[in-house]
Amino acid sequence: MRGAAFANKRRKMDRSFVIVQISDLHLDGSGRLLATIETLNAAIRERMADFADVPDRILLITGDIVDDPTPPALDEALAVIASFRQTGLFTDIQAIAGNHDVKRPSQRAGRHDVYDYLHLPRTSKSVYYRQAGLDLVLLDSNRASLTTLASGNVDQSAYNAMVSDSARLSVELAGSLGSGGRADYAEPVENLVRVLALHHHPLPQATGEGKRFLGVPDEPLMYLAAPATFLEAATSLNVDLVLHGHRHVEGLTRYSIPDPRVTSSESDEAFWRTIYVLSCPSSTGQAGDDAGFNVIHFGPMSHGDRTEYRFAIARYSRPRKDAVFRPLDSNLPHGVVRLPAGRDFSRDPAVQSGIEIDACTTLKPDQVAAFARRLLLRRAFYADGEVDWANLLHVYLVTSHVWADLESKFSRSARKHEVEAAAAVTSLLRRLIEQSANVLGIDDVQLDELRTRRLVNRDDLRRELPRGVRPDIDVEIETRQRLQLLRDLNEQAKALGLDPGLGGKMPPQTP
């Protein structure tokens, strides 16, 4: 499978990531699985050759890293993880614990605490990848599965406790993400791609229904005790994809609930909030099962003159008596499952610029000119027919936040006239914000509150703002004043090395 198969006319992407999911290695410290690990490593190396230009490349292990947390097994696990790191394929490696990695207190004699030994999250952990806009949430699910029912000695109170623990996952998930997001998010929380990883599966697996334990079908005992509660919480928090292991089977399903924000049910997909749920088999083929791993690529994909974000999922399987991993979905073009992301993940130019500026220690004049071009060549900075003042306010707010970062870093190396020009742009953006707010009838207190919110979501802002201009405002006069401010802004832009013609006729293809 070549890179061209994963995306049409791939280009350097502003937000893209790859997750390689492996699971249920069941290392035991004996060394018997090291050759199998090397086969797995080689197969992953071959598939990752196409993704060298993707900024975030993550190896994710979804539990049961060891078969039993003895010192030799855990040392072997550390060595295997180190071998994956030494390949240089991945920019990060993350893992969560499975039921085999943890033991009840009565079973811990001669065993280590896997959470400390392998640095795994005991409850939940959110890992934010700024450039990709990915929020990877790692959730420990070991107290919330029905696996212990297989012993046949679980009474009603124990069952209720397991259901409560599964509901607890929903609370922990919400707590780790929060409604407002983390302080280090570089964009509104609604624009993040959220991937949730846990060991146990939240939905029944059809491919696991043929398995038996003590002679009886055991699939009803294997997943979370309160799956609907958990999935509804994940959906409400805009989780897009759930990755899990545990069952040693492949599986891809989706879970949907009505989106309470939609105002029409005419479009089937727009009416639903959907989570994709992807299962990973044992990547070493334990218990006689077929081995497997998944490669999940998120990024923009072209369809004619349109670009939309999608998940491209390649699932690989190695049958028990085969030495080679092959595409599981060979019936599809290039063996890749392409799924719509369900939302528009295009970034505001100001957000993308802010992320790139944050990665710079200082800025040179040519970089400032390039950023200024991206920030200012937008409809909001030109004479564009009928004016949408709420949209103008949003654009000016997000641009001013990013420009403040640019000005701060540029001032360290800029010449005096460049520093003055950058400061003048800041002042003019402030005046544009104040004018837009005044036209909409936003008072000083509300405006100050908006200015303190660095991450302003456009749709949320439009819902909060007045629907129209103040009745006592002369829109024609305000429009002329706005265009004059934009022409003044253009004069300062000239001092920074560009002449975008702000306040005049809008150039073709201006976003």
Side-chain angles (χ1 to χ4, degrees), residues 196-208:
L196 171 62
L198 71 167
H199 181 59
H200 298 87
H201 46 303
L203 287 173
Q205 292 290 302
T207 45

Side-chain angles (χ1 to χ4, degrees), residues 404-435:
D405 295 339
L406 180 150
E407 182 185 358
S408 174
K409 292 193 174 183
F410 187 43
S411 64
R412 302 172 191 174
S413 58
R415 292 168 292 186
K416 181 179 179 182
H417 77 278
E418 293 169 331
V419 172
E420 291 174 347
V425 171
T426 298
S427 177
L428 287 164
L429 287 171
R430 185 181 302 114
R431 291 175 64 186
L432 286 164
I433 290 171
E434 291 169 352
Q435 185 202 25

Side-chain angles (χ1 to χ4, degrees), residues 138-161:
L138 309 174
L139 200 59
D140 185 87
S141 59
N142 282 299
R143 287 186 295 161
S145 79
L146 296 175
T147 307
T148 51
L149 281 173
S151 66
N153 296 317
V154 178
D155 59 18
Q156 185 64 41
S157 62
Y159 176 80
N160 291 342

Side-chain angles (χ1 to χ4, degrees), residues 15 132-134 187-194 238 240 298 343-348 351 457:
R15 65 181 306 178
L134 165 65
E187 57 196 301
V189 67
E190 296 83 2
N191 203 44
L192 296 173
V193 186
R194 277 195 165 141
N238 286 333
D240 301 287
F298 175 87
R343 290 180 282 144
D344 181 9
F345 284 97
S346 301
R347 270 184 173 143
D348 187 286
V351 170
N457 178 271

Side-chain angles (χ1 to χ4, degrees), residues 210-279:
K211 292 194 169 190
R212 306 176 78 82
F213 181 82
L214 299 179
V216 297
D218 63 349
E219 175 61 20
L221 308 177
M222 302 302 286
Y223 52 90
L224 298 182
T229 301
F230 171 75
L231 283 166
E232 189 160 344
T235 308
S236 68
L237 290 163
N238 286 333
V239 171
D240 301 287
L241 176 66
V242 174
L243 304 176
H244 69 84
H246 184 52
R247 200 63 178 112
H248 296 197
V249 294
E250 50 79 19
L252 176 60
T253 54
R254 72 177 191 172
Y255 179 82
S256 300
I257 62 172
D259 189 334
R261 297 174 299 182
V262 300
T263 57
S264 171
S265 61
E266 296 298 321
S267 173
D268 290 343
E269 289 305 316
F271 178 72
W272 299 100
R273 282 191 187 179
T274 295
I275 295 180
Y276 300 112
V277 181
L278 179 63
S279 173

Side-chain angles (χ1 to χ4, degrees), residues 357-379:
I357 291 169
D358 184 67
C360 301
T361 305
T362 59
L363 293 172
K364 298 178 181 179
D366 60 331
Q367 292 175 298
V368 170
F371 282 124
R373 184 177 301 278
R374 185 191 293 171
L375 289 169
L376 301 178
L377 262 71
R378 305 182 64 176
R379 291 177 182 272

